[in-house]
Amino acid sequence: MKKNLGVTAVIGVDWGDSGKGRLIDDLAQEADIVARYSGGSNTGHTVNNSYGKFALHIMPSGIFNTEATCVIGRGVALDLESLIEDEFEQLKKAKVNWKNLSIDPQCTLTMPWHKLRDGIREKFRRAKIGTTGRGVGPTYADRVERIGLRLQDLLAADFAQKLKLELNYQNKTFGFKLNFEKVLVQFNRYAKIVKPYAKNTLDIIHMGIYEKKNILFEGAQGWFLDIDGGTYPFVTSSNTGTVGIWRSFDLTPNYINNIIGITKAYTTRVGNGPMPTAISGPERDIIIEKGHEVGTTSGRTRDPGWLDLALLKYAVQVNLVNQIAVTKLDVLSGFTKVNLCIGYKINGKDTWYKSGDAQELKKCEPVYKIMPGWKEDISKVRQFKKLPKNAQNYIKEIEAYTGVKVTFIGVGPKREEVIYA
Ligand code: IMP
């Protein structure tokens, strides 16, 4: 996997939280360019390496390879408060420099009113989504409505006028009491800090392709949170899969050599929405505790479920995934049996995932293949054939069902706790 990076994308083939930060941090060691293409500060990518432990939201997880160019594409909802006040500070403390960062001037800014609107909307929703409250949905809504302020607006001479107009509109429409002077001072400060990083990122990516550079696209969230293909309305507001790369960089998938679909060895979901394989009882508590299933951004407990191969296979096909990364296999050690969902039934009849439809998925009963578990601690294992036989069979079953090879198996949280196949 690492030797032939070429143009590679890491895409969540689940509801997110699969450990992308850690895989990206690892693969980024071989990359010339690492690019984020979607999501905003709702994203929580945890990186645990020799510099320390970091929770990144906007910053690409490749930033620890100081030789690589790190790119934030125009499809990212740019929360400068998170990037500057939190993430730059985390990196500064650890003496990691981010001089190779480039941010596309066309990124839409997450403004204070977006965060306020996120909260209000959620309060008045009949079916609560469980948003992270980071203002991501309203930021994308304004982009689509063509009223979003972009980074290039922030850096232009008439920013104060544009800000005043928009802030007054937001105050009037939503009854906010946002103070223009205060917001202006805050964003003028951000403008000074980010100005050196504002660069046309399409040029960087297209030139990189032309020069045959190793490029790594860092997905955020997972396919089933995609605004179109996910379990609508319990989704985020951006294109989380391969299509998001196209939208951010005008780059069609035929330029991408490897699309790695990443999932945990089990499923989790944070926020609301259906998950047919949800686990209840003591197994639920064991997975939450062993897997530290608490959201990086929201601090909420994630609901665990058995691995849903029916969904996984769909996400693999739609996103042209040609390799699978399975993380946290070690968390399943100790169970006498582990379930794999290999299909659904509604009222006794076979069915499948209907793209974009949470209502239908809610009615689905999982059909399980019950696999014998394994007891051994696998965190020190570095070769597939040294895994307990039942753990090997679990991985082989994923491969057989999806038709795609598992090339990365996470057996612990550290960079080196991995089996590469
Ligand atoms: P929003 O994107 O903050 O509006 O949240 C919409 C839904 O997506 C909620 O269910 C969130 O919990 C979920 N979500 C958003 N970002 C992430 C993520 O990075 N990991 C997992 N779930 C997420």
Side-chain angles (χ1 to χ4, degrees), residues 15 17 42-44 129-132 221 225 235-236 270-272 300:
W15 282 288
D17 304 317
N42 52 354
T43 309
I129 290 176
T131 156
T132 58
Q221 289 88 33
L225 288 177
V235 290
T236 189
V270 61
N272 296 334
R300 294 175 296 185

PDB file of all heavy atoms in Angstrom, residues 15 17 42-44 129-132 221 225 235-236 270-272 300, ligand 1:
ATOM      1  N   TRP A  15     -20.070   5.430   8.553  1.00  0.00           N
ATOM      2  CA  TRP A  15     -20.602   6.707   9.046  1.00  0.00           C
ATOM      3  C   TRP A  15     -19.485   7.546   9.687  1.00  0.00           C
ATOM      4  O   TRP A  15     -19.749   8.348  10.579  1.00  0.00           O
ATOM      5  CB  TRP A  15     -21.721   6.461  10.056  1.00  0.00           C
ATOM      6  CG  TRP A  15     -23.021   6.096   9.421  1.00  0.00           C
ATOM      7  CD1 TRP A  15     -23.849   6.931   8.721  1.00  0.00           C
ATOM      8  CD2 TRP A  15     -23.669   4.821   9.444  1.00  0.00           C
ATOM      9  NE1 TRP A  15     -24.962   6.240   8.311  1.00  0.00           N
ATOM     10  CE2 TRP A  15     -24.886   4.946   8.736  1.00  0.00           C
ATOM     11  CE3 TRP A  15     -23.345   3.579   9.991  1.00  0.00           C
ATOM     12  CZ2 TRP A  15     -25.777   3.885   8.561  1.00  0.00           C
ATOM     13  CZ3 TRP A  15     -24.230   2.525   9.822  1.00  0.00           C
ATOM     14  CH2 TRP A  15     -25.429   2.689   9.108  1.00  0.00           C
ATOM     15  N   ASP A  17     -15.514   8.232  11.499  1.00  0.00           N
ATOM     16  CA  ASP A  17     -14.812   7.839  12.727  1.00  0.00           C
ATOM     17  C   ASP A  17     -14.067   6.518  12.589  1.00  0.00           C
ATOM     18  O   ASP A  17     -13.963   5.741  13.534  1.00  0.00           O
ATOM     19  CB  ASP A  17     -15.794   7.736  13.920  1.00  0.00           C
ATOM     20  CG  ASP A  17     -16.555   9.014  14.119  1.00  0.00           C
ATOM     21  OD1 ASP A  17     -15.933  10.083  14.037  1.00  0.00           O
ATOM     22  OD2 ASP A  17     -17.777   8.951  14.344  1.00  0.00           O
ATOM     23  N   ASN A  42     -16.634  20.000  11.720  1.00  0.00           N
ATOM     24  CA  ASN A  42     -17.335  18.815  12.256  1.00  0.00           C
ATOM     25  C   ASN A  42     -16.413  17.594  12.225  1.00  0.00           C
ATOM     26  O   ASN A  42     -16.596  16.638  12.972  1.00  0.00           O
ATOM     27  CB  ASN A  42     -18.626  18.523  11.457  1.00  0.00           C
ATOM     28  CG  ASN A  42     -18.398  18.448   9.956  1.00  0.00           C
ATOM     29  OD1 ASN A  42     -17.309  18.709   9.472  1.00  0.00           O
ATOM     30  ND2 ASN A  42     -19.431  18.094   9.223  1.00  0.00           N
ATOM     31  N   THR A  43     -15.440  17.628  11.341  1.00  0.00           N
ATOM     32  CA  THR A  43     -14.488  16.532  11.178  1.00  0.00           C
ATOM     33  C   THR A  43     -13.592  16.424  12.412  1.00  0.00           C
ATOM     34  O   THR A  43     -13.143  17.442  12.930  1.00  0.00           O
ATOM     35  CB  THR A  43     -13.583  16.840   9.957  1.00  0.00           C
ATOM     36  OG1 THR A  43     -14.428  17.153   8.864  1.00  0.00           O
ATOM     37  CG2 THR A  43     -12.667  15.701   9.621  1.00  0.00           C
ATOM     38  N   GLY A  44     -13.332  15.192  12.827  1.00  0.00           N
ATOM     39  CA  GLY A  44     -12.397  15.017  13.933  1.00  0.00           C
ATOM     40  C   GLY A  44     -11.404  13.933  13.570  1.00  0.00           C
ATOM     41  O   GLY A  44     -11.748  12.753  13.603  1.00  0.00           O
ATOM     42  N   ILE A 129     -31.082  15.663  13.836  1.00  0.00           N
ATOM     43  CA  ILE A 129     -29.990  15.008  13.109  1.00  0.00           C
ATOM     44  C   ILE A 129     -28.864  14.629  14.066  1.00  0.00           C
ATOM     45  O   ILE A 129     -28.155  13.664  13.861  1.00  0.00           O
ATOM     46  CB  ILE A 129     -29.457  15.961  12.006  1.00  0.00           C
ATOM     47  CG1 ILE A 129     -30.510  16.082  10.904  1.00  0.00           C
ATOM     48  CG2 ILE A 129     -28.143  15.468  11.425  1.00  0.00           C
ATOM     49  CD1 ILE A 129     -30.149  17.056   9.827  1.00  0.00           C
ATOM     50  N   GLY A 130     -28.740  15.444  15.119  1.00  0.00           N
ATOM     51  CA  GLY A 130     -27.600  15.243  16.021  1.00  0.00           C
ATOM     52  C   GLY A 130     -26.359  15.907  15.464  1.00  0.00           C
ATOM     53  O   GLY A 130     -25.252  15.374  15.550  1.00  0.00           O
ATOM     54  N   THR A 131     -26.555  17.078  14.841  1.00  0.00           N
ATOM     55  CA  THR A 131     -25.409  17.803  14.249  1.00  0.00           C
ATOM     56  C   THR A 131     -24.334  18.106  15.303  1.00  0.00           C
ATOM     57  O   THR A 131     -24.632  18.214  16.488  1.00  0.00           O
ATOM     58  CB  THR A 131     -25.871  19.111  13.557  1.00  0.00           C
ATOM     59  OG1 THR A 131     -24.801  20.035  13.491  1.00  0.00           O
ATOM     60  CG2 THR A 131     -27.024  19.764  14.243  1.00  0.00           C
ATOM     61  N   THR A 132     -23.126  18.254  14.833  1.00  0.00           N
ATOM     62  CA  THR A 132     -22.024  18.581  15.748  1.00  0.00           C
ATOM     63  C   THR A 132     -22.113  20.035  16.210  1.00  0.00           C
ATOM     64  O   THR A 132     -21.364  20.455  17.090  1.00  0.00           O
ATOM     65  CB  THR A 132     -20.661  18.381  15.052  1.00  0.00           C
ATOM     66  OG1 THR A 132     -20.626  19.216  13.893  1.00  0.00           O
ATOM     67  CG2 THR A 132     -20.441  16.940  14.655  1.00  0.00           C
ATOM     68  N   GLN A 221     -15.505  12.337   7.269  1.00  0.00           N
ATOM     69  CA  GLN A 221     -16.728  11.561   7.513  1.00  0.00           C
ATOM     70  C   GLN A 221     -16.724  10.249   6.707  1.00  0.00           C
ATOM     71  O   GLN A 221     -15.659   9.742   6.403  1.00  0.00           O
ATOM     72  CB  GLN A 221     -17.984  12.394   7.219  1.00  0.00           C
ATOM     73  CG  GLN A 221     -18.261  13.498   8.231  1.00  0.00           C
ATOM     74  CD  GLN A 221     -17.560  14.799   7.902  1.00  0.00           C
ATOM     75  OE1 GLN A 221     -17.369  15.134   6.745  1.00  0.00           O
ATOM     76  NE2 GLN A 221     -17.181  15.538   8.910  1.00  0.00           N
ATOM     77  N   LEU A 225     -22.742   9.316   5.316  1.00  0.00           N
ATOM     78  CA  LEU A 225     -23.079  10.683   5.747  1.00  0.00           C
ATOM     79  C   LEU A 225     -23.052  11.628   4.554  1.00  0.00           C
ATOM     80  O   LEU A 225     -23.194  12.844   4.715  1.00  0.00           O
ATOM     81  CB  LEU A 225     -22.089  11.160   6.824  1.00  0.00           C
ATOM     82  CG  LEU A 225     -22.222  10.515   8.209  1.00  0.00           C
ATOM     83  CD1 LEU A 225     -21.119  11.029   9.138  1.00  0.00           C
ATOM     84  CD2 LEU A 225     -23.583  10.781   8.832  1.00  0.00           C
ATOM     85  N   VAL A 235     -27.476  13.027   7.691  1.00  0.00           N
ATOM     86  CA  VAL A 235     -26.223  13.097   6.941  1.00  0.00           C
ATOM     87  C   VAL A 235     -25.536  14.425   7.236  1.00  0.00           C
ATOM     88  O   VAL A 235     -26.118  15.296   7.876  1.00  0.00           O
ATOM     89  CB  VAL A 235     -26.489  12.993   5.412  1.00  0.00           C
ATOM     90  CG1 VAL A 235     -26.944  11.600   5.028  1.00  0.00           C
ATOM     91  CG2 VAL A 235     -27.512  14.028   4.949  1.00  0.00           C
ATOM     92  N   THR A 236     -24.330  14.581   6.719  1.00  0.00           N
ATOM     93  CA  THR A 236     -23.689  15.882   6.779  1.00  0.00           C
ATOM     94  C   THR A 236     -24.023  16.605   5.464  1.00  0.00           C
ATOM     95  O   THR A 236     -24.834  16.117   4.671  1.00  0.00           O
ATOM     96  CB  THR A 236     -22.176  15.742   7.076  1.00  0.00           C
ATOM     97  OG1 THR A 236     -21.645  17.050   7.322  1.00  0.00           O
ATOM     98  CG2 THR A 236     -21.411  15.064   5.937  1.00  0.00           C
ATOM     99  N   VAL A 270     -22.462   8.188  15.245  1.00  0.00           N
ATOM    100  CA  VAL A 270     -22.672   9.215  16.277  1.00  0.00           C
ATOM    101  C   VAL A 270     -23.689  10.194  15.711  1.00  0.00           C
ATOM    102  O   VAL A 270     -23.702  10.449  14.513  1.00  0.00           O
ATOM    103  CB  VAL A 270     -21.330   9.888  16.683  1.00  0.00           C
ATOM    104  CG1 VAL A 270     -20.662  10.593  15.539  1.00  0.00           C
ATOM    105  CG2 VAL A 270     -21.503  10.853  17.842  1.00  0.00           C
ATOM    106  N   GLY A 271     -24.577  10.699  16.570  1.00  0.00           N
ATOM    107  CA  GLY A 271     -25.689  11.489  16.036  1.00  0.00           C
ATOM    108  C   GLY A 271     -26.835  10.534  15.754  1.00  0.00           C
ATOM    109  O   GLY A 271     -26.769   9.348  16.096  1.00  0.00           O
ATOM    110  N   ASN A 272     -27.891  11.027  15.116  1.00  0.00           N
ATOM    111  CA  ASN A 272     -29.072  10.180  14.927  1.00  0.00           C
ATOM    112  C   ASN A 272     -29.088   9.506  13.559  1.00  0.00           C
ATOM    113  O   ASN A 272     -28.219   9.744  12.739  1.00  0.00           O
ATOM    114  CB  ASN A 272     -30.329  11.022  15.135  1.00  0.00           C
ATOM    115  CG  ASN A 272     -30.393  11.517  16.568  1.00  0.00           C
ATOM    116  OD1 ASN A 272     -29.827  10.886  17.457  1.00  0.00           O
ATOM    117  ND2 ASN A 272     -31.034  12.643  16.791  1.00  0.00           N
ATOM    118  N   ARG A 300     -19.484  13.078  22.194  1.00  0.00           N
ATOM    119  CA  ARG A 300     -20.628  12.179  22.411  1.00  0.00           C
ATOM    120  C   ARG A 300     -20.206  10.721  22.236  1.00  0.00           C
ATOM    121  O   ARG A 300     -19.309  10.419  21.453  1.00  0.00           O
ATOM    122  CB  ARG A 300     -21.742  12.472  21.394  1.00  0.00           C
ATOM    123  CG  ARG A 300     -22.362  13.826  21.580  1.00  0.00           C
ATOM    124  CD  ARG A 300     -23.358  14.105  20.482  1.00  0.00           C
ATOM    125  NE  ARG A 300     -22.711  14.174  19.172  1.00  0.00           N
ATOM    126  CZ  ARG A 300     -23.349  14.497  18.042  1.00  0.00           C
ATOM    127  NH1 ARG A 300     -24.622  14.750  18.063  1.00  0.00           N
ATOM    128  NH2 ARG A 300     -22.703  14.549  16.892  1.00  0.00           N
TER     129      ARG A 300
HETATM  130  P1  IMP B   1     -23.038  18.047  10.933  1.00  0.00           P
HETATM  131  O1  IMP B   1     -22.228  17.691   9.739  1.00  0.00           O
HETATM  132  O2  IMP B   1     -22.235  18.630  12.038  1.00  0.00           O
HETATM  133  O3  IMP B   1     -24.230  18.890  10.580  1.00  0.00           O
HETATM  134  O4  IMP B   1     -23.665  16.687  11.520  1.00  0.00           O
HETATM  135  C1  IMP B   1     -24.562  15.883  10.756  1.00  0.00           C
HETATM  136  C2  IMP B   1     -24.435  14.415  11.135  1.00  0.00           C
HETATM  137  O5  IMP B   1     -23.161  13.943  10.715  1.00  0.00           O
HETATM  138  C3  IMP B   1     -24.509  14.137  12.634  1.00  0.00           C
HETATM  139  O6  IMP B   1     -25.106  12.873  12.828  1.00  0.00           O
HETATM  140  C4  IMP B   1     -23.064  14.091  13.059  1.00  0.00           C
HETATM  141  O7  IMP B   1     -22.880  13.313  14.222  1.00  0.00           O
HETATM  142  C5  IMP B   1     -22.443  13.436  11.836  1.00  0.00           C
HETATM  143  N1  IMP B   1     -21.032  13.811  11.658  1.00  0.00           N
HETATM  144  C6  IMP B   1     -20.543  14.975  11.201  1.00  0.00           C
HETATM  145  N2  IMP B   1     -19.202  14.947  11.169  1.00  0.00           N
HETATM  146  C7  IMP B   1     -18.836  13.733  11.609  1.00  0.00           C
HETATM  147  C8  IMP B   1     -17.575  13.082  11.770  1.00  0.00           C
HETATM  148  O8  IMP B   1     -16.482  13.625  11.506  1.00  0.00           O
HETATM  149  N3  IMP B   1     -17.615  11.812  12.236  1.00  0.00           N
HETATM  150  C9  IMP B   1     -18.789  11.161  12.505  1.00  0.00           C
HETATM  151  N4  IMP B   1     -19.981  11.724  12.369  1.00  0.00           N
HETATM  152  C10 IMP B   1     -20.006  13.006  11.920  1.00  0.00           C
END
